[in-house]
Amino acid sequence: MSWALKLFFCALNLIFISSRDFYVCADKVSVVELTSSWTLRNQNGSITASALKIPISVYSALRTTYGDVLQSKNDVDLRWMSYDNWTFTRHFNVNQEEMANVNAINLTLHGIDTVATIQNILEIEILSPVWVAQAIAHTQLEWGLKAPPECPPASYRGECHRNMLRKMQMSFGSEVGPAVPSMGIWKTVTLEYYEVAILHYVDIAVEPNTTHWNMDVHAFFNTPLTHDFYGNITLFAPDLLEENPYEVGLTVISYQSPKVKFMVPVPKESVKLWWPNGYGEANLYPIFVSATCWATSEAPQLRAKTVSQQLVKIGFRTVELVEDLEEGKGRTFYFKVNDVPIFAKGAIYLPSHILPENYDDADKLEHILRSARDANMNLIRVWGGGLYESKSFYDIADKYGLMVWQDMAFTGATYPVVDAFLESIRVETSQNAKYLASHPSLVLFVTNDEIELYLVSNKASFGTEEQYKRLENEYKQLFLGTIKPELNIISRNSFDPRPGPMISTPSKGVEENKKDLPLDLQSINYGDVHFWSEDLDALNPDIYPRARFISEYGFQSLPAIISWNQTMLENDSLVELIKHRQHDLNGMEPMLNLIERYIPFRPSDWEYKIDDLIYFSQLMQAMAAKTATDLFRSQRVNYRTMGAIYWHLNDVWVAPTWSSIDYYGNYKLLYYWSKEFFSPLAIIALYDASNRRINITMIRDEYKEYSDARKYVETINVYFWDKLLARKTLTRDEVLELNSVQQRSVPLDDIIATPFTVNNSFLEFSLYDAKANLLVSTFFLPSNMKSIEGITDPKITVEISWRYCNEDALSLKRRIAYSLLVRVHAPALFVFIQIVHPQIKKYKLSHNGFIQAEPIKVVHLDYEHSSECMTIENENIKVQTMNQYLLAEAEKKAKMSAINARRRRRRRKVEL
């Protein structure tokens, strides 16, 4: 599979370059994209399509005829497409005028999915990935080289032997997505006309000294020559250098390793640092590199295609992974950027679409990553079951200060180590490393996801000890002996542009992984851990590990009804569709059991109460994630815990998953809550049940170049469930330094005393500034929701108070904004607002799933419409609160109690 990525070329047609003492008019390398006029046919010619544009897959090309693979149960109903072989064809002519001044033409296919034979008339025959994977697996088995697991769990409704192909691993089925074994041309196809060589990648690493930042530039070329050639390199950095361009001068370039290295010093006063989100601005600088290459010491001919160019944007920052030994406690594990320790807050990113050709949707990427930034995240982990993402993805991450933890595309399986496979891995690794290296957001490569954990956890199932040793040795050969050395292509001898690579996640970190394969991968004292325990009480903070870095944890929920409606066909049953798309090995049980612990809801009723289940599942997901994240953040004292990355940020389809943003971009309650539990300034209240105390943690994740201790007023408010406004208030002055944490413990009985009880009251913990402005707050429920006493009907209403529409005729979409006034007469528990309108597909609220203890709260609503300033009315606003369910349960219990009392009276009369 080709992992080469689309190149950027400057729009200039002609530039002047200097070489020695002469000036030459040279022409730019010519690139022609072959995007249109493609045809498609299946193996026997019974299905055809024409006038296609790439990127495209078979599923996309046939969507109009056979339906969208992401609607209804089409993931299974359209699987027949992946069992056939398909041929894409395009006829083209080589431009004779272009040929006059070139010695070479590259036909570059930047992304073929996946197993293909390419003919010289540009006929691309793509074989069924399902059957090819099966054939390779059978051949391996004949050689005695079984590579488990062979097939995914039955609940995935997937296909076998995904690990035989270098293809997006989740395309054969996963717990978070459908099996869509796609086939197609998922990136551009280009003709490149040139004389000698093409500049394909520019890797710029930066290192500071006392007076300057040094830009250590590596320029990588592609050439068909079998002898060394000449090059002249110029670098333009208008925002950084007083004199432009920077001239590297004439260089002899080795054809065997066509690369040019040079150093460019930049005065420190010219540089503003790149910072992770929440710590400062993510400053970026454009760097333009131009290369003129020719074959001999003589000047290139006039109009020769000798000039190629690359534009990159870089950020000036240092990053390290601190793994200091602590006696008896293992090693620390945290990122330090620009010498500032960073508590990593974020989520795991899945591809934005299950079809690879759609992974680069600019609007969707912008929405997902901007949402991550707005939720106070500073790190995105790109999951190993997906892809190496597009340039747009990393550019947006750079722009928003989102650090990227990059899993390489290997997950939860063993892989063959035959020569052809290993050679393809070398190319894959080298190409993607060079492609990604200059992005300041990239802070860590991890060569695989959960493969060490898979080996260690399944050792007994592999048969003999000899078989396990073979798999262990093959694992080392692939990841330590092949991938890790290839990543050295972006390393530097004198400094480390980024830490790592780390071999696996979870792991014992980088330092400990230099030893033998560890058996205690989930050690809380080293590296990172993945936490999964669906049978425990997720709202109990005691269940969560006090680990160094939690790089995966999560809880499942259902997306909103607005998203289900967009994925169902006319005759679909929502209940059956939910069952079809539930890929958790334990089905609905973990989600329903968590709901039943805290909400009066019978799991057996879920099929009849889907609206309630959506609300309850999203609420419990948010509450559980908040409990876990609060615990992890509270453990950051002395760098004990320094990362919380939840599974997962976004979705590839509408289904029961662990995401906070669904496939259509609508936010679950987890997303709204994450804006608060990831807040840079935070106050956390966790119950210590064994000591009947509340542990309070105050955090200030902020950096400035000067000391800035600030005074805050910590406030504890006590409310009755049937009365607005606090009935008791405790205050205390606090001082927080930059990037600091403070903790204290308070007996619960000191806060909740007569007439308050744990059942008739709830608490609010807040931080105010010196001018009495509320900065941040969190609510604390001292009892299980099912034990609440005194709760009443809040008589909640929502009315529209303000409306705005962007009616700019030049805009392709209309942005509509509303202010909603939410009024209550008593505390409203977990207000859940949904917008229900047939023309609204995606919307955003400023708050959702909140506790309202004041009479009026303003909630802002935003949505877009393609053509008009469409309005909503009050009836389009659906509101739910837990009050209504607790009151209904109380009424049910009262009726049952009355019935039982009457029965007892009758029984006594009979006895008398």
Side-chain angles (χ1 to χ4, degrees):
M1 180 178 187
S2 171
W3 291 89
L5 293 158
K6 182 178 178 181
L7 306 176
F8 174 90
F9 286 91
C10 181
L12 296 174
N13 292 320
L14 193 70
I15 67 169
F16 288 90
I17 58 95
S18 65
S19 177
R20 294 184 179 173
D21 297 321
F22 55 84
Y23 285 85
V24 179
C25 185
D27 207 355
K28 187 171 72 70
V29 167
S30 180
V31 179
V32 178
E33 292 193 352
L34 305 178
T35 57
S36 60
S37 303
W38 288 84
T39 62
L40 173 69
R41 69 178 188 274
N42 68 335
Q43 186 166 7
N44 65 13
S46 61
I47 300 174
T48 61
S50 59
L52 303 176
K53 293 183 67 174
I54 62 170
I56 200 167
S57 69
V58 174
Y59 285 101
S60 297
L62 302 180
R63 175 183 173 182
T64 302
T65 305
Y66 296 102
D68 188 333
V69 72
L70 291 180
Q71 285 196 312
S72 190
K73 298 179 182 179
N74 284 348
D75 59 306
V76 171
D77 294 343
L78 299 182
R79 189 72 54 79
W80 58 267
M81 293 183 187
S82 70
Y83 300 153
D84 208 339
N85 299 325
W86 300 84
T87 299
F88 286 89
T89 303
R90 188 193 193 278
H91 295 277
F92 67 95
N93 296 315
V94 174
N95 188 313
Q96 295 302 315
E97 183 179 345
E98 297 279 10
M99 282 291 295
N101 295 298
V102 301
N103 289 326
I105 302 177
N106 284 353
L107 173 61
T108 305
L109 296 98
H110 295 274
I112 298 295
D113 186 10
T114 294
V115 184
T117 301
I118 301 169
Q119 312 295 331
N120 60 5
I121 61 167
L122 201 46
E123 187 172 85
I124 304 172
E125 181 186 357
I126 301 181
L127 305 180
S128 162
V130 176
W131 300 131
V132 172
Q134 185 179 102
I136 295 173
H138 287 169
T139 301
Q140 292 278 104
L141 194 59
E142 290 174 0
W143 296 342
L145 300 176
K146 183 178 179 181
E150 296 180 82
C151 297
S155 64
Y156 291 7
R157 296 180 173 83
E159 298 293 340
C160 299
H161 309 300
R162 64 173 170 82
N163 49 344
M164 295 296 107
L165 300 179
R166 291 313 297 139
K167 177 177 178 58
M168 184 170 74
Q169 295 291 272
M170 71 181 302
S171 67
F172 273 46
S174 69
E175 64 182 354
V176 292
V180 183
S182 52
M183 301 144 290
I185 306 171
W186 67 290
K187 295 182 182 179
T188 57
V189 176
T190 58
L191 285 173
E192 299 167 327
Y193 299 85
Y194 63 103
E195 179 75 15
V196 172
I198 298 178
L199 175 63
H200 267 175
Y201 306 100
V202 175
D203 169 21
I204 304 177
V206 296
E207 181 189 26
N209 58 33
T210 55
T211 60
H212 287 73
W213 282 86
N214 287 320
M215 296 194 297
D216 189 345
V217 185
H218 289 192
F220 297 92
F221 296 84
N222 175 269
T223 182
L225 298 183
T226 56
H227 58 81
D228 295 347
F229 57 96
Y230 293 85
N232 188 64
I233 316 294
T234 56
L235 179 145
F236 298 80
D239 297 333
L240 296 170
L241 302 176
E242 290 186 2
E243 296 184 7
N244 279 282
Y246 179 90
E247 297 277 359
V248 178
L250 185 64
T251 304
V252 177
I253 303 174
S254 167
Y255 76 95
Q256 294 177 318
S257 179
K259 177 169 65 174
V260 175
K261 303 178 184 179
F262 58 96
M263 198 81 72
V264 182
V266 179
K268 277 192 170 180
E269 57 268 23
S270 299
V271 169
K272 292 182 179 179
L273 297 180
W274 184 93
W275 287 99
N277 184 34
Y279 288 83
E281 295 297 318
N283 296 293
L284 297 170
Y285 296 90
I287 308 293
F288 182 77
V289 179
S290 179
T292 303
C293 298
W294 59 94
T296 69
S297 58
E298 299 298 322
Q301 295 180 2
L302 188 68
R303 306 296 300 176
K305 304 288 186 182
T306 59
V307 180
S308 54
Q309 303 143 354
Q310 286 288 329
L311 175 68
V312 296
K313 289 186 177 181
I314 68 168
F316 289 85
R317 58 97 179 103
T318 60
V319 58
E320 57 183 305
L321 182 61
V322 181
E323 295 183 278
D324 291 338
L325 276 171
E326 294 186 338
E327 188 175 351
K329 299 178 181 179
R331 291 182 183 270
T332 61
F333 187 95
Y334 64 91
F335 292 100
K336 184 185 281 189
V337 178
N338 301 328
D339 291 326
V340 177
I342 306 292
F343 187 98
K345 302 174 293 187
I348 297 167
Y349 179 86
L350 308 185
S352 64
H353 203 284
I354 195 64
L355 294 175
E357 69 268 22
N358 296 326
Y359 84 133
D360 195 21
D361 184 309
D363 290 342
K364 201 164 190 177
L365 291 177
E366 175 70 24
H367 173 69
I368 294 170
L369 294 181
R370 185 178 64 245
S371 297
R373 179 207 61 182
D374 293 347
N376 298 305
M377 298 183 192
N378 58 33
L379 187 146
I380 299 296
R381 180 183 150 211
V382 179
W383 178 49
L387 294 164
Y388 305 98
E389 285 298 322
S390 67
K391 182 178 186 299
S392 299
F393 175 91
Y394 300 100
D395 285 347
I396 297 170
D398 291 344
K399 177 177 68 173
Y400 288 143
L402 296 170
M403 298 183 291
V404 173
W405 164 319
Q406 179 72 51
D407 289 359
M408 299 190 71
F410 302 85
T411 183
T414 62
Y415 290 83
V417 292
V418 295
D419 291 345
F421 191 86
L422 291 178
E423 181 56 33
S424 74
I425 297 303
R426 290 188 184 96
V427 175
E428 171 187 331
T429 303
S430 174
Q431 287 182 346
N432 283 286
K434 289 182 288 189
Y435 167 68
L436 296 177
S438 283
H439 289 278
S441 57
L442 181 67
V443 297
L444 184 67
F445 267 116
V446 181
T447 66
N448 71 77
D449 166 59
E450 292 193 341
I451 297 183
E452 284 188 12
L453 184 64
Y454 173 77
L455 286 171
V456 171
S457 302
N458 293 278
K459 184 176 181 179
S461 68
F462 296 145
T464 64
E465 180 69 20
E466 181 182 6
Q467 185 78 336
Y468 172 74
K469 278 296 180 185
R470 176 183 69 82
L471 293 173
E472 182 180 350
N473 289 335
E474 290 178 352
Y475 170 85
K476 293 177 179 178
Q477 183 181 352
L478 176 58
F479 295 103
L480 293 171
T482 304
I483 293 177
K484 186 178 180 182
E486 285 296 327
L487 289 174
N488 288 335
I489 199 166
I490 57 170
S491 65
R492 300 296 191 271
N493 293 327
S494 59
F495 69 102
D496 294 322
R498 67 197 59 79
M502 196 162 79
I503 302 304
S504 190
T505 177
S507 76
K508 295 187 74 173
V510 175
E511 290 299 321
E512 293 296 314
N513 258 26
K514 294 176 181 177
K515 306 172 185 177
D516 290 336
L517 195 68
L519 297 179
D520 54 341
L521 289 169
Q522 297 279 50
S523 168
I524 64 172
N525 291 323
Y526 296 90
D528 67 312
V529 303
H530 295 183
F531 175 79
W532 294 102
S533 189
E534 293 182 327
D535 57 331
L536 300 178
D537 178 4
L539 301 195
N540 177 6
D542 291 338
I543 74 168
Y544 296 104
R546 277 61 173 170
R548 293 297 189 177
F549 195 109
I550 297 81
S551 56
E552 189 172 307
Y553 63 102
F555 311 90
Q556 200 182 67
S557 71
L558 297 179
I561 196 68
I562 190 176
S563 296
W564 285 108
N565 289 340
Q566 294 178 72
T567 203
M568 289 194 298
L569 298 179
E570 185 177 355
N571 296 321
D572 279 342
S573 158
L574 179 54
V575 170
E576 292 305 312
L577 191 59
I578 291 173
K579 290 180 179 179
H580 176 84
R581 296 187 172 204
Q582 174 56 273
H583 284 192
D584 190 311
L585 296 180
N586 296 309
M588 301 289 286
E589 186 177 342
M591 183 198 308
L592 295 173
N593 287 347
L594 180 57
I595 292 171
E596 188 184 24
R597 284 180 186 269
Y598 287 92
I599 294 175
F601 181 78
R602 288 189 298 182
S604 58
D605 289 347
W606 80 264
E607 296 182 21
Y608 314 104
K609 298 180 178 180
I610 299 296
D611 284 345
D612 293 347
L613 180 61
I614 289 172
Y615 173 30
F616 297 159
S617 69
Q618 289 198 22
L619 176 59
M620 294 312 301
Q621 179 193 36
M623 294 181 74
K626 174 177 167 55
T627 301
T629 308
D630 282 354
L631 186 280
F632 300 146
R633 293 191 74 185
S634 75
Q635 295 295 304
R636 67 168 292 176
V637 177
N638 297 323
Y639 309 122
R640 176 64 213 180
T641 300
M642 287 296 287
I645 312 300
Y646 69 71
W647 171 262
H648 46 96
L649 180 60
N650 57 307
D651 268 326
V652 298
W653 69 338
V654 177
T657 70
W658 296 258
S659 73
S660 59
I661 305 173
D662 74 25
Y663 171 72
Y664 289 106
N666 287 302
Y667 297 147
K668 296 182 181 179
L669 290 185
L670 170 57
Y671 175 79
Y672 291 106
W673 283 42
S674 68
K675 294 171 69 174
E676 298 181 0
F677 63 62
F678 279 151
S679 173
L681 181 67
I683 184 166
I684 294 168
L686 292 168
Y687 186 48
D688 178 359
S690 60
N691 296 305
R692 282 188 58 82
R693 301 178 73 90
I694 298 177
N695 295 327
I696 303 170
T697 304
M698 290 154 284
I699 298 171
R700 187 182 175 198
D701 285 339
E702 187 181 7
Y703 171 75
K704 294 182 180 179
E705 293 182 353
Y706 52 86
S707 178
D708 183 37
R710 290 188 182 178
K711 180 181 177 182
Y712 299 91
V713 178
E714 176 201 337
T715 301
I716 305 174
N717 287 324
V718 187
Y719 298 83
F720 283 119
W721 279 115
D722 61 347
K723 293 180 177 62
L724 291 176
L725 307 179
R727 303 293 152 159
K728 176 181 177 181
T729 299
L730 305 172
T731 62
R732 173 189 170 102
D733 290 340
E734 302 285 358
V735 175
L736 286 176
E737 301 281 351
L738 289 164
N739 214 22
S740 68
V741 57
Q742 285 194 21
Q743 294 182 319
R744 70 188 186 97
S745 179
V746 182
L748 180 63
D749 294 339
D750 286 359
I751 303 173
I752 298 179
T754 307
F756 301 101
T757 69
V758 294
N759 294 329
N760 72 7
S761 64
F762 63 99
L763 309 178
E764 179 186 27
F765 294 80
S766 306
L767 287 178
Y768 291 80
D769 65 15
K771 297 181 180 179
N773 296 308
L774 177 62
L775 302 175
V776 66
S777 66
T778 185
F779 284 97
F780 177 87
L781 275 57
S783 69
N784 188 308
M785 278 188 283
K786 294 198 289 189
S787 300
I788 288 175
E789 297 173 356
I791 200 165
T792 187
D793 182 359
K795 298 183 174 61
I796 190 168
T797 62
V798 180
E799 64 179 75
I800 298 169
S801 68
W802 177 84
R803 175 179 175 270
Y804 164 82
C805 179
N806 173 15
E807 298 185 88
D808 182 0
L810 298 177
S811 176
L812 297 178
K813 292 182 179 180
R814 301 290 186 264
R815 177 178 172 268
I816 301 104
Y818 285 84
S819 288
L820 309 178
L821 291 184
V822 184
R823 301 179 189 272
V824 296
H825 293 81
L829 181 57
F830 302 131
V831 179
F832 183 43
I833 300 174
Q834 295 183 85
I835 306 301
V836 182
H837 191 288
Q839 295 188 56
I840 298 178
K841 308 301 182 184
K842 182 177 75 176
Y843 62 87
K844 178 177 70 174
L845 298 165
S846 58
H847 304 83
N848 209 358
F850 51 86
I851 294 177
Q852 185 167 339
E854 69 272 17
I856 299 176
K857 186 178 183 69
V858 179
V859 175
H860 300 291
L861 164 68
D862 284 273
Y863 60 90
E864 292 181 342
H865 193 270
S866 59
S867 61
E868 60 179 306
C869 288
M870 189 196 64
T871 60
I872 62 169
E873 306 298 335
N874 287 335
E875 55 264 29
N876 300 123
I877 305 170
K878 179 181 178 182
V879 182
Q880 293 165 274
T881 68
M882 281 307 303
N883 301 57
Q884 67 196 75
Y885 299 98
L886 297 178
L887 289 171
E889 182 68 12
E891 183 179 354
K892 187 190 302 182
K893 287 181 178 179
K895 288 181 179 179
M896 185 58 66
S897 179
I899 291 171
N900 290 336
R902 287 196 295 270
R903 287 174 178 170
R904 286 194 297 271
R905 287 197 295 270
R906 292 194 194 102
R907 195 179 300 117
R908 283 198 296 269
K909 287 181 180 179
V910 170
E911 291 172 353
L912 291 174

